[in-house]
Amino acid sequence: FGAGGGPRASGAGRRRAAAKEGVEAATEEGEKKKEGFKALPKQTRPFYPAEQVGAVAPLGYFDPLNICPPGNEGNFRFLRAAELKHGRVTMLASVGLISQCFIKFPFWGFQTEVANGIQCVGQIPAAYGVFILVVAISIMELLVWTDNPKREPGNFGDPLGLNMYNEDMRNRELNNGRFAMFATAGIIAAELATGKDAAQQLGLA
């Protein structure tokens, strides 16, 4: 057999062809793996309530009873909306429990027939006012100020254009609301225990 041809040359050609096929097969397999990797669903990070607005110093995220565990965003949104709602109501209530001792409506006998403090709720005409207030609040909550799942809980927009909806003001609102819930509960409890209205408790009357 000659130096340039024969079985040796054909054997080398077969080996080169086999090596080429192996490289192509490996490349094709790699592409399939890459495509399969791209097709995997995107991994989402678990929801952590401790990273949300309201977890501020000195307590940070305070949940000793674990009623809002990580990973349950729906539960957090429900509880945060309730916290904001109660905070807003009690901020108004704490101011109202004091101001009503000095400012009263000039009609329906509010100035002469209604006592100061929480006891006025069961008196006429104050009971009528409470009923009207509850109806008005129910209409606003059910028809106007409804939670939007695309927004943060309790975010009803900025109708006055104050541009104050930022992280700092949201933390302030939550903290003031938390304080007001304790303050309102304390005023009512003290009045039931001592018979003194809010102004008398603070030495203002």
Side-chain angles (χ1 to χ4, degrees):
F1 297 96
R8 291 182 182 180
S10 60
R14 286 194 296 269
R15 285 194 295 271
R16 284 195 298 270
K20 184 178 180 180
E21 291 177 359
V23 171
E24 291 177 351
T27 303
E28 185 178 355
E29 185 68 21
E31 291 295 328
K32 288 181 179 179
K33 289 183 178 180
K34 188 182 295 185
E35 290 176 0
F37 177 76
K38 289 181 179 179
L40 290 175
K42 185 178 179 180
Q43 297 296 319
T44 57
R45 191 168 177 270
F47 178 82
Y48 288 101
E51 298 176 351
Q52 307 305 308
V53 172
V56 295
L59 297 178
Y61 180 63
F62 186 72
D63 184 20
L65 300 180
N66 196 34
I67 61 175
C68 189
N72 193 339
E73 184 176 0
N75 182 49
F76 171 81
R77 290 183 62 88
F78 172 79
L79 294 175
R80 174 51 55 85
E83 180 183 26
L84 283 167
K85 188 180 301 181
H86 285 84
R88 290 164 178 170
V89 169
T90 51
M91 281 190 278
L92 293 173
S94 59
V95 174
L97 285 169
I98 298 175
S99 62
Q100 60 131 353
C101 299
F102 307 100
I103 304 172
K104 296 185 178 182
F105 293 122
F107 51 81
W108 288 2
F110 277 99
Q111 293 183 332
T112 58
E113 301 178 14
V114 178
N116 296 329
I118 193 67
Q119 299 176 4
C120 71
V121 174
Q123 297 177 342
I124 302 298
Y128 298 150
V130 172
F131 175 76
I132 294 173
L133 181 63
V134 170
V135 172
I137 291 174
S138 300
I139 292 174
M140 295 299 293
E141 182 173 350
L142 296 175
L143 302 178
V144 182
W145 289 337
T146 58
D147 275 318
N148 187 340
K150 296 181 179 180
R151 293 180 175 180
E152 297 86 356
N155 179 7
F156 301 122
D158 185 16
L160 299 180
L162 300 177
N163 295 321
M164 297 175 65
Y165 192 78
N166 52 53
E167 184 172 340
D168 179 62
M169 292 304 297
R170 291 170 67 192
N171 279 324
R172 289 173 182 268
E173 181 185 27
L174 283 165
N175 286 335
N176 289 330
R178 291 161 181 169
F179 179 78
M181 283 188 271
F182 280 101
T184 302
I187 292 172
I188 295 174
E191 181 177 342
L192 295 176
T194 65
K196 295 182 178 180
D197 58 43
Q200 292 172 333
Q201 294 173 30
L202 296 174
L204 301 177

